């Protein structure tokens, strides 16, 4: 579900305007504040979320995600409830996620957060990148980004566009403040300067081969969520 929140300063107070699709009830201000609780951030990201008043807020649930797995290079894992990442010789995995952002091309993105429900045996460093190939959920494998076309190299390592976020994975729901580089890439998706090919989450070489699982959008709850602070100004 996509939810949009518009917060407008009015006199000495704040008028909270909430529009929501018909699938669910309106959230209270307290629930919205709780949803924005931050546990960690991208490495080097120190700027907190903007104060209420100026920006609209859009929450986008992942629309597609899948795992690509070296040990099963021709198998597609689109229907699993978890998406995995791991760095280990002959057992590497990567998690691909895409968010269907529906905003006008003139919208300006000012801040972003990424929310993930994770399981990790111990805190593990992983790296997220925007992807360069328009992979498909039904066709992506370790060898191919759709049912017919191979990645530049197996495992999509050569098909990363830009660094999106370096983050620490730990068990539980974690909301990451995204840095300026990630915001700029999301802005390119919205404006049409770059195709929205989603993000790939890759375990770092320093992760010791530990596996990290991410609850996928196929699960009933706790799917990945991208939260955007934006304005409509051209």
């Amino acid at each position: 579900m996509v939810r949009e929140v518009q917060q407008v300063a009015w006199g000495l107070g704040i008028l909270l305007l909430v529009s929501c699709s018909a699938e669910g009830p309106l959230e209270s201000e307290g629930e919205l504040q709780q949803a924005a609780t931050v546990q960690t951030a991208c490495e080097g990201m120190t700027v907190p979320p903007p104060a209420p008043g100026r920006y609209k807020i859009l929450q986008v649930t992942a629309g597609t995600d899948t795992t690509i797995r070296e040990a099963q290079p021709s198998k597609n894992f689109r229907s699993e409830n978890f998406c995995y990442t791991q760095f280990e010789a002959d057992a590497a995995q990567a998690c691909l996620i895409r968010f269907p952002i529906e905003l006008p091309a003139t919208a300006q993105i000012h801040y972003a957060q990424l929310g993930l429900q994770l399981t990790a045996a111990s805190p593990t460093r992983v790296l997220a990148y925007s992807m360069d190939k328009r992979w498909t959920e039904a066709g992506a494998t370790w060898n191919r980004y759709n049912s017919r076309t191979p990645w530049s190299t197996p495992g999509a390592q050569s098909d990363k566009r830009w660094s999106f976020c370096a983050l620490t994975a730990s068990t539980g729901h974690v909301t990451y403040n995204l840095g300026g580089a990630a915001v700029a890439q999301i802005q390119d998706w919205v404006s049409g300067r770059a195709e929205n090919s989603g993000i790939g989450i890759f375990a770092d070489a320093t992760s010791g081969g530990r596996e990290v699982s991410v609850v996928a959008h196929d699960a009933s709850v706790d799917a990945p969520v991208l939260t955007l602070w934006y304005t409509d100004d051209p």
Side-chain angles (χ1 to χ4, degrees):
M1 182 180 70
V2 174
R3 292 173 289 183
E4 185 172 334
V5 181
Q6 184 177 7
Q7 295 172 310
V8 183
W10 190 13
L12 297 178
I14 298 292
L15 175 64
L16 182 68
L17 306 176
V18 180
S19 63
C20 186
S21 70
E23 289 129 351
L26 300 180
E27 295 94 336
S28 68
E29 183 174 0
E31 287 172 331
L32 289 166
Q33 291 173 343
Q34 183 179 12
T37 300
V38 177
Q39 296 181 0
T40 188
C42 289
E43 292 179 4
M45 178 59 182
T46 59
V47 179
R54 178 184 175 188
Y55 302 106
K56 296 179 180 180
I57 301 176
L58 182 71
Q59 291 184 323
V60 187
T61 301
T64 52
D65 48 52
T66 191
T67 302
I68 57 174
R69 186 169 293 159
E70 185 178 18
Q72 297 166 285
S74 299
K75 184 176 175 60
N76 175 264
F77 297 95
R78 66 184 181 276
S79 60
E80 291 195 352
N81 287 333
F82 295 90
C83 190
Y84 299 92
T85 184
Q86 186 176 12
F87 185 95
E88 188 172 8
D90 301 320
Q93 306 176 84
C95 174
L96 305 177
I97 305 172
R98 185 162 54 243
F99 298 90
I101 302 170
E102 297 180 3
L103 285 173
T106 55
Q108 298 296 305
I109 310 302
H110 299 273
Y111 196 88
Q113 290 178 335
L114 176 65
L116 302 172
Q117 181 71 27
L118 303 170
T119 300
S122 59
T124 301
R125 187 173 186 264
V126 298
L127 306 172
Y129 297 86
S130 61
M131 300 303 293
D132 200 37
K133 294 285 194 297
R134 180 75 176 186
W135 53 272
T136 63
E137 185 177 51
T141 66
W142 184 261
N143 287 335
R144 300 178 185 273
Y145 67 88
N146 58 35
S147 59
R148 296 170 298 175
T149 314
W151 298 101
S152 298
T153 56
Q157 289 285 345
S158 298
D159 293 292
K160 304 167 182 173
R161 185 187 296 267
W162 299 105
S163 177
F164 197 82
C165 181
L167 49 92
T168 299
S170 57
T171 297
H173 183 83
V174 185
T175 301
Y176 299 94
N177 288 336
L178 299 180
V183 171
Q185 290 170 76
I186 296 168
Q187 181 68 67
D188 284 348
W189 296 343
V190 170
S191 65
R193 286 190 293 267
E195 185 173 43
N196 179 0
S197 295
I199 63 173
I201 300 178
F202 297 79
D204 187 55
T206 63
S207 64
R210 292 183 291 271
E211 182 181 76
V212 176
S213 67
V214 182
V215 171
H217 84 283
D218 300 274
S220 57
V221 294
D222 294 327
V225 173
L226 184 67
T227 304
L228 305 176
W229 279 252
Y230 74 99
T231 59
D232 288 325
D233 303 330

